[in-house]
Amino acid sequence: MCYEIVLAIVDLMSAPPAPRSPAAETTRAPSTEQTSTATAPPGIKRTTPASPLADPAVLSGRTALDWRLRFAALSLIWGFSFLLIKVGTDGYAPFQVTLGRLLSGTAVLAVAMAVKRERLPRTARTWGHLAVAAFFLNALPFSLFAYAELTIPSTLAGICNATSPLWGMALSLVALSEDRPTRRRVAGLGLGFLGVLTVLGAWQGFSGLDFSGTAMALLASLSYPIGWIYVRRTLAGTGSSALALTGSQLFLGTVQLALVTPLFTSVPDGFPLWPTLAVVALGALGTGLAVLLQYGLVAEVGPTTAQMVTYFIPVIATAAGVAVLGEQLSWNTPVGALVVLAGAALTQSRPRAAQASAPPEPVPGRRTRELS
């Protein structure tokens, strides 16, 4: 559910800025910040604000605990998304749930973009790439999860979603030349898929398992890394902000569903209260507000910490499904989920040498520049 947003935001926020013209570079106003290299690694110059009042963290009144509270809120929002999908499909067709979700999410991001005066992408090429990204990261997986939950519990859907990092690691080895396989990552891939077989009860011959629903949930999880790889290859370094690209992407996903939904569904007879509230909350919170929370977390605490939210989602989705919807839970489901998460964590890990050579993550109120 969140994997595609996390990685897309990480890539877009870490992409190199658009090149400056020589004239703009020479006429740029001198910096008001003081430079300190005492604690910076070799080759990096760390700057600190000239006054504490210039620090964004001070201006916003944030405390050290704030990001943890937002991290917890994000985990809960995305973890409960599978419950909301289940409730939404009780009153609406899956395509209608997805359309309502994208419409609500797009509205939230449109307001955020208006407040921050973000500019929409200008080139037709960028909009074309965003249309493809919207299909693989929004329209297709959201619809597949909605159809899957017609026949499988929300707990299983949430656990299937946790396989996205595994699919991503497998695909990146083929599609991204810079991602080199290591023993640890290959072991994580094998361990993760062993966890999937545990969740599905392979030793019992998959008895009692709805194959079509489970297959759709797994295909939805596979769609996310396909979209992420496409975004990484085509949209990084476009010059637009992550918020503008994500909002535009959701808008295009809404248009895609608006065209498809009338072809496969009829106008609903009514608007039942709980399914309607579930769909609106799914979009406004799970697809709109959650993106803004994740956007802030990546900027404040760095991508590595922000991506850890991925591992809390299946745990919360399972707890919500059992406690709120009364779904049945056998022993192999939570055990297999833990194995999946352990494998996913290994696929995202890097050797210590690589971590030591990696540039430092952004720190609130600090900026880094490379010495020429």
Side-chain angles (χ1 to χ4, degrees), residues 201-283:
W203 67 93
Q204 299 173 343
F206 303 102
S207 61
L209 181 70
D210 183 85
F211 284 99
S212 61
T214 305
M216 284 189 285
L218 290 174
L219 285 175
S221 302
L222 172 62
S223 179
Y224 288 146
I226 292 175
W228 163 64
I229 291 173
Y230 183 84
V231 166
R232 185 171 176 178
R233 283 178 170 270
T234 59
L235 290 174
T238 59
S240 298
S241 69
L243 178 58
L245 291 175
T246 305
S248 302
Q249 175 185 306
L250 285 182
F251 169 74
L252 292 174
T254 305
V255 173
Q256 292 171 3
L257 261 295
L259 296 174
V260 171
T261 301
L263 302 178
F264 295 93
T265 65
S266 58
V267 178
D269 297 330
F271 299 92
L273 178 61
W274 289 113
T276 302
L277 292 177
V279 172
V280 173
L282 179 65

Side-chain angles (χ1 to χ4, degrees), residues 86 94 143-153 157 210 212-218:
K86 192 75 170 179
S143 299
L144 286 173
F145 271 122
Y147 271 102
E149 291 199 40
L150 292 176
T151 55
I152 67 173
D210 183 85
S212 61
T214 305
M216 284 189 285
L218 290 174

Side-chain angles (χ1 to χ4, degrees), residues 1-3 78-83 85-86 145 148-149 152-165 196 199 213-214 217-218 220-221 224 309-321 327 333 337 340-341:
M1 185 65 58
C2 76
Y3 179 76
W78 271 331
F80 269 84
S81 293
F82 298 95
L83 180 149
I85 293 173
K86 192 75 170 179
F145 271 122
E149 291 199 40
I152 67 173
S154 64
T155 54
L156 180 56
I159 293 171
C160 287
N161 178 76
T163 63
S164 281
V196 172
V199 170
T214 305
L218 290 174
S221 302
Y224 288 146
V309 72
T310 304
Y311 305 115
F312 290 86
I313 295 173
V315 178
I316 296 173
T318 300
E327 296 177 348
T333 301
V340 169
L341 292 178

Side-chain angles (χ1 to χ4, degrees), residues 104-157:
S104 300
T106 301
V108 171
L109 291 190
V111 172
M113 290 173 62
V115 170
K116 295 187 176 184
R117 297 182 179 180
E118 294 281 356
R119 293 184 177 182
L120 294 173
R122 296 183 177 181
T123 66
R125 182 182 181 87
T126 300
W127 281 100
H129 289 318
L130 285 172
V132 177
F135 176 76
F136 284 109
L137 294 176
N138 303 117
L140 179 61
F142 290 0
S143 299
L144 286 173
F145 271 122
Y147 271 102
E149 291 199 40
L150 292 176
T151 55
I152 67 173
S154 64
T155 54
L156 180 56

Side-chain angles (χ1 to χ4, degrees), residues 69-95:
L69 293 176
R70 286 178 281 127
F71 184 96
L74 184 62
S75 302
L76 288 172
I77 289 172
W78 271 331
F80 269 84
S81 293
F82 298 95
L83 180 149
L84 294 176
I85 293 173
K86 192 75 170 179
V87 175
T89 54
D90 287 341
Y92 297 101
F95 276 138

Side-chain angles (χ1 to χ4, degrees), residues 19-31:
R20 297 175 180 267
S21 64
E25 195 66 31
T26 57
T27 58
R28 186 175 55 185
S31 173

